Amino acid sequence: MTITAVPVIKNGCLMVRGKVVLTGVPENVVISPVGSKAAFLGASSTVSSSQHVFNLGILENYKLMCLFIAKIWWMIPRVGKSASDIPMETQMLLLEAGEDSVLDVDDETSAEATTPENKFYILVLPILDGLFRTTLQGTPSNELQFCYESGDPDVQTSQALEGVFISSGDNPFELIKDSIKILAKLKGTFSHLENKKAPAHLDWFGWCTWDAFYTEVDPNGIKEGLQSFKEGGIPPKFLIIDDGWQETANEFQKEGQPRVEGTQFATRLTDIKENSKFKGSESDGSSTNLKEFVHTIKENYGLKYVYMWHALAGYWGGVSPSSEALKKYNPKLAYPVQSPGNIGNVRDIAMDSLEKYGVGVIDPHKLYDFYNDLHSYLADSGVDGVKVDVQNLIQTLGLGYGGRVSISKQYHEALDESIEKNFRENNLICCMCHNSDNIFSSKKSATARASEDFMPNEPTFQTLHIASVSFNSLLMGETVVPDWDMFHSNHSTAEFHGAARALGGCPVYVSDKPGKHDFKILKKLVLSDGTILRAKYAGRPTRDCLFVDPVMDGKSLMKIWNLNKLNGVIGAFNCQGAGCWPMKEAPESSPNSTLNAVQITGHVTPLDVEFLEEIAGETWNGDCAIFAFNTGSLSRVPRNKNIQVSLGVLECEIFTISPIEEINENLHFAPIGLMDMYNSGGAIEEFSFKETITIKARGSGRFGSYSSTKPSSCKVDMKEEEFTYNPADGLLTINLQGDGSLRDIEIVY
């Protein structure tokens, strides 16, 4: 554990490790120690209410980064230096404390110049407290406030004693992890990712039907898409049949009349079984039902997993109260009520529509029956899992059900129970689920979408997507495997998105239209057996990127780090000059403005990879071999030095960081991996050395290593193979033939 020193309130100031964090702390604010390393912040009121806004004190002159719900479904990051920079609906706040915490530090040749030993981090985490949910927000006068609400006027309190968790540590990533573990144990309402079962699809290449067909998806289109992948030599191993397969009705859209914008969200589920598109007839040779169709596509296209989409409430507008097939679940029409925070940020057309037209809400006592009936039908049809969408809707339906936290908890408990019974490998993808009601109410769901959708037709959204998934993974990556969403392989930003997925520790899947693929991109992500080289953890911003704006400050690269089994990986992305954050105005045109940003120069160092020393071993002297994927350059770099990288807008570079082993006085060695895969080092499973160097690696293609000396011979699976060696940079290259299976490489000197 790295959390140290209990926060205290002293002389009207909140103190953490002797440093003043908040001044002017009101007398009604209380603090309760949590062990010897953290505390709960709370407050009391003279009146009882279902919603309170409490002042915590003044927050100024700190580098800060927060994650907040901008639109009701999704979080995005925001950086600043005072409470006035903290929006409503903030769900995580990270502060940097210590000398130079609000001063820009110029890049130096030595990376150590930017990491003073007295720097530490403070995590302020609004959480669930009984039947209440907490969020943070700032005022123009730099007051930090917490909002405490139940979502039901009948659920009231005057005491908010454990609404905010505060802790500190020297490593921001360990701090967040340790804090989430403490809260999971104390609260008992959710689990840390380490205690969950990972879904089966994560390590396989996939295809989602959404962008390919939207709700017009049908069996023939799916088969056409699967066939085009097969012909290109990269067939997906998992398939998500997205929205468009269910039996639904919309009483607000009359046939033959023009569609009224917004009414599409009021569509409601009328049956748990598939619609007529998936019920063919024997006369035309098509599948007669979902079960036959799933069997056919698995048999013909090598699919291992088929997932089906549904909303947490059944469909966008819930379930139809007038449906004969669904009346046993006692659905009733309810009208969503959004919190002031949702209304105060970015309004959403779907929620505005549902507030007007209503949602068919299943009786909470019948939720498990509904999910079990749906999931058992799908499982019997050969379906392996589900993507459960539109989850944040449930938080707006707490009126009369004990409030938002209570109803969210009931939905997630029923969902978890049904998934466990019907899909044994925990095959569930959660989506549109970013609010803390969901994050802190799920004990078993183990993967969730990390950002708003990939939108192929929105050029200003591409850079925001990459920045959002990385920052959001700081929090989400402790409770789920963040899913960075599908993308298009045949798209102007395909390289940008593909490289990000390769190091995100996330599943890799696309939503290409049939025949619209770039197999050159896909071959950098997918091995011939359909597996991917997935990194170990959630990809997150490097430490020096935590408190900068990689989208709009006009000068910062977005750097993302991760670990493989035996090396690290860093992605550098130029996200400047191609979009603006919601709720944030673009700066006026100036030499440093984001509007003029073209070429951005930054630095990459082995220190950017957290915990690299843990996989390098005790004898490591700190030197690394750094391989740049796009340029193909190989450099030997001491741990405290860096290399320069310059990128244009929407350009990226992926660096494999491999610790160098001093095998003897004359031989220094570091395996790099498959040089034609974005995450080259993900191919390496084992590395050892005695009389010879032995490596176990997956996949085929050019396998590279750094070697200070030319070897005498190389063998692959006991068979001698030719190799090339460049004495100028030490690059040793062996060509691995065959499929994606595990290979034994032996290098003799």
Side-chain angles (χ1 to χ4, degrees), residues 376-525:
S376 62
Y377 176 77
L378 292 176
D380 185 60
S381 299
V383 172
D384 303 284
V386 285
K387 172 184 173 182
V388 181
D389 211 344
V390 202
Q391 295 199 10
N392 283 7
L393 170 65
I394 304 305
Q395 73 181 50
T396 68
L397 299 169
L399 181 65
Y401 294 105
R404 56 185 295 162
V405 175
S406 176
I407 194 171
S408 296
K409 184 171 180 283
Q410 292 175 77
Y411 269 81
H412 280 286
E413 285 179 348
L415 180 64
D416 282 348
E417 189 177 353
S418 177
I419 294 294
E420 186 172 36
K421 178 184 176 185
N422 295 291
F423 305 119
R424 299 300 174 87
E425 294 187 89
N426 201 24
N427 292 345
L428 167 66
I429 304 169
C430 295
C431 190
M432 302 176 84
C433 57
H434 280 193
N435 68 48
S436 52
D437 309 67
N438 294 317
I439 293 171
F440 297 134
S441 290
S442 177
K443 291 185 177 181
K444 294 177 182 176
S445 60
T447 189
R449 277 272 308 282
S451 78
E452 191 161 8
D453 292 13
F454 165 75
M455 296 189 179
N457 302 319
E458 296 283 356
T460 61
F461 280 25
Q462 309 308 315
T463 56
L464 277 65
H465 187 106
I466 302 303
S468 292
V469 290
S470 178
F471 276 93
N472 289 346
S473 293
L474 287 163
L475 176 60
M476 296 184 67
E478 299 303 334
T479 59
V480 293
V481 176
D483 179 329
W484 288 17
D485 200 18
M486 57 205 163
F487 69 104
H488 288 189
S489 71
N490 188 5
H491 192 269
S492 60
T493 63
E495 193 98 35
F496 201 70
H497 281 281
R501 304 307 189 279
L503 59 91
C506 54
V508 174
Y509 59 113
V510 294
S511 193
D512 297 349
K513 294 181 186 299
K516 302 291 186 182
H517 319 291
D518 186 337
F519 289 105
K520 289 182 180 178
I521 296 287
L522 295 179
K523 285 177 180 177
K524 300 173 187 178
L525 289 161

Side-chain angles (χ1 to χ4, degrees), residues 565-715:
K565 287 185 178 179
L566 293 165
N567 49 56
V569 59
I570 297 170
F573 300 82
N574 185 349
C575 296
Q576 303 285 349
C580 297
W581 292 114
M583 301 168 51
K584 192 169 184 181
E585 292 183 13
E588 294 182 14
S589 185
S590 69
N592 294 320
S593 84
T594 184
L595 299 177
N596 292 331
V598 180
Q599 196 85 1
I600 302 289
T601 298
H603 298 87
V604 168
T605 168
L607 288 172
D608 287 334
V609 181
E610 304 286 334
F611 315 115
L612 187 62
E613 66 281 354
E614 293 180 12
I615 60 173
E618 295 180 1
T619 60
W620 181 46
N621 72 357
D623 284 5
C624 287
I626 300 184
F627 173 72
F629 175 82
N630 287 317
T631 66
S633 66
L634 180 63
S635 308
R636 179 169 182 154
V637 181
R639 175 168 45 182
N640 63 342
K641 302 295 182 183
N642 58 43
I643 58 174
Q644 185 172 293
V645 55
S646 294
L647 299 168
V649 176
L650 285 166
E651 289 183 350
C652 63
E653 181 61 281
I654 307 296
F655 299 92
T656 298
I657 315 287
S658 185
I660 294 174
E661 289 284 352
E662 291 189 11
I663 294 171
N664 57 48
E665 193 175 311
N666 300 315
L667 177 57
H668 299 175
F669 189 91
I672 300 297
L674 291 176
M675 297 161 62
D676 297 316
M677 304 292 285
Y678 289 126
N679 183 20
S680 306
I684 304 169
E685 296 289 330
E686 295 179 19
F687 165 50
S688 60
F689 48 90
K690 289 183 181 175
E691 289 80 18
T692 62
I693 289 172
T694 56
I695 301 166
K696 286 188 182 294
R698 288 195 293 140
S700 57
R702 295 187 305 148
F703 187 93
S705 300
Y706 167 80
S707 177
S708 61
T709 305
K710 183 179 179 179
S712 57
S713 66
C714 296
K715 295 179 181 178

Side-chain angles (χ1 to χ4, degrees), residues 313-327:
Y315 201 73
W316 281 87
V319 302
S320 173
S322 61
S323 165
E324 194 66 27
L326 302 179
K327 67 179 183 180

